Amino acid sequence: MRVDDFDFELPPERIALRPMRPRDAAKMLCVHGSAMRDAQVRDLPGLLNPGDCLVFNDTRVIPAQLEGVKLGGQARIGATLHKRIDLRRWQAFVRNSRRLRLGDVIDFGADVFATVEARGADGSITLAFQGTEPVELLLERAGTMPLPPYIAAKRDIDEADREDYQTRFAREDGAVAAPTASLHFTDELMAALAAGGIEHAMLTLHVGAGTFLPVKADDTNDHQMHAEWGRIDAATAHRLNTVRARGNRVIAVGTTVLRLIESAAREDGMIAPFEGDTAIFITPGYRFRGIDGLMTNFHLPRSTLFMLVSALMGLDVMKAAYAYAVENDYRFYSYGDSSLLLP
């Protein structure tokens, strides 16, 4: 399909720069088939059925945004870590990378140094961090939260973002972007869901900075999707299969959850245990196998995530839903409002 088929007008004032407080007070547009209705996230217990299962991503965002200087020169270097290679090496997207050569050392401050080791075909650079301390400790000293560029371009990253850009489920270090659909959940909402007989389950997908990369191709067939590491253990796979076998629904909370479940789902709809990289790219025409619905925020025009929701609900339905959201003051992107999509 043409990438410009997924374009739409979005006024810049619709981009949320801070989250709603309390988190579950955010608006939620419910799209069931082609029907739409307004709600709030805290209404979710009344919108699902007892026995349905919400699936969350328990990845934890690390402070993966680094600013430094190339040793032996004055070049300012900005790096956003993208994907772990091993204990000391990470792939990173680097600002001012043309000033770097293999073997150069970058001083990121706070006694954190990294060597430029390789260049990837996707434009990324492999950084090898010096020393013996775990890289996570180095990042806690020198890094900042990697807010999406459409927020970071409009305001400074501050201490509040360390909490705001982390979900209540975060426990597995490794993401460089939050699974933002889960940002809306509070202890009170989880208690209300449990009281309504609605279950939840966890998986892990470490979201990479590639999620923010624009689609530069003119046709979706020519776009190379970034890879991210994820895991669904055997107990979770069995539990989700049991939910569907008894006639209830598996609702993915976020596109990261959906992509990982679909990567693990077999042709017959059974979800298998999974551990490894996934680069699944979902566009209209895809046949969903493992999920029955999706809760997600509002995404960028022409993005792979808008393509995904259009595959789930239909492009015309999603264009109408997004136009409705714009007209009715819904807040977009990572800190914005939510949608509940039920085909």
Side-chain angles (χ1 to χ4, degrees):
M1 295 182 68
R2 296 283 304 175
V3 171
D4 54 17
D5 289 341
F6 301 92
D7 204 1
F8 57 88
E9 290 295 324
L10 181 67
E13 62 269 20
R14 291 289 176 268
I15 300 173
L17 300 183
R18 298 283 184 185
M20 183 65 68
R21 302 186 193 281
R23 295 189 182 200
D24 60 5
K27 294 199 291 188
M28 184 168 67
L29 181 61
C30 302
V31 185
H32 195 171
S34 59
M36 290 183 285
R37 59 173 288 196
D38 298 304
Q40 286 182 296
V41 172
R42 59 179 51 152
D43 298 326
L44 191 59
L47 299 169
L48 300 177
N49 301 325
D52 287 345
C53 185
L54 294 166
V55 189
F56 298 98
N57 185 355
D58 67 3
T59 190
R60 182 177 180 274
V61 183
I62 59 176
Q65 184 72 46
L66 296 164
E67 297 290 334
V69 178
K70 184 178 80 169
L71 288 185
Q74 300 299 313
R76 299 291 304 178
I77 304 297
T80 301
L81 302 190
H82 164 53
K83 188 173 183 290
R84 182 197 299 275
I85 299 172
D86 56 30
L87 287 177
R88 307 222 59 77
R89 297 186 301 155
W90 279 76
Q91 287 180 336
F93 294 113
V94 175
R95 188 181 71 250
N96 212 11
S97 64
R98 66 186 183 282
R99 303 291 296 274
L100 296 174
R101 297 177 182 272
L102 299 187
D104 282 347
V105 176
I106 306 167
D107 180 357
F108 289 118
D111 202 28
V112 176
F113 300 88
T115 302
V116 177
E117 192 173 83
R119 289 182 178 271
D122 60 356
S124 67
I125 284 179
T126 298
L127 296 177
F129 286 86
Q130 298 181 1
T132 58
E133 287 182 279
V135 173
E136 286 76 12
L137 292 182
L138 302 181
L139 296 178
E140 289 294 336
R141 290 208 307 267
T144 58
M145 292 299 273
L147 283 189
Y150 42 76
I151 295 176
K154 293 177 177 290
R155 67 163 178 84
D156 291 335
I157 301 169
D158 56 33
E159 194 61 29
D161 292 308
R162 283 189 176 253
E163 180 177 346
D164 288 343
Y165 200 56
Q166 204 77 266
T167 77
R168 69 180 299 283
F169 311 102
R171 65 182 184 188
E172 299 287 340
D173 284 341
V176 298
T180 54
S182 297
L183 291 178
H184 301 292
F185 285 79
T186 62
D187 292 346
E188 293 78 12
L189 177 56
M190 292 304 295
L193 288 163
I198 296 158
E199 302 178 11
H200 71 275
M202 299 287 174
L203 49 73
T204 304
L205 185 134
H206 291 321
V207 193
T211 192
F212 302 129
L213 292 179
V215 178
K216 296 181 179 179
D218 293 326
D219 192 284
T220 58
N221 289 332
D222 299 325
H223 176 66
Q224 182 66 47
M225 194 70 173
H226 59 282
E228 296 165 317
W229 182 91
R231 179 181 60 232
I232 301 175
D233 62 31
T236 300
H238 174 73
R239 184 175 180 191
L240 299 182
N241 290 328
T242 300
V243 168
R244 301 186 87 199
R246 68 177 182 236
N248 287 110
R249 296 174 295 183
V250 168
I251 308 294
V253 181
T255 56
T256 63
V257 171
L258 184 151
R259 291 176 64 242
L260 187 56
I261 291 176
E262 289 299 314
S263 298
R266 304 191 312 228
E267 283 296 323
D268 63 0
M270 295 294 288
I271 299 165
F274 182 97
E275 183 168 356
D277 285 349
T278 176
I280 189 171
F281 181 26
I282 295 175
T283 57
Y286 177 86
R287 182 177 66 84
F288 289 86
R289 301 188 296 265
I291 62 98
D292 306 292
L294 171 67
M295 182 177 170
T296 186
N297 288 12
F298 292 92
H299 303 294
L300 283 162
R302 300 170 64 94
S303 66
T304 60
L305 301 183
F306 185 64
M307 295 172 190
L308 183 154
V309 296
S310 297
L312 181 65
M313 302 299 294
L315 179 57
D316 290 342
V317 169
M318 290 315 301
K319 282 197 167 184
Y322 273 48
Y324 179 90
V326 169
E327 292 170 5
N328 289 274
D329 298 330
Y330 277 76
R331 303 162 72 246
F332 274 61
Y333 304 161
S334 297
Y335 279 154
D337 293 317
S338 185
S339 63
L340 177 64
L341 307 179
L342 301 173

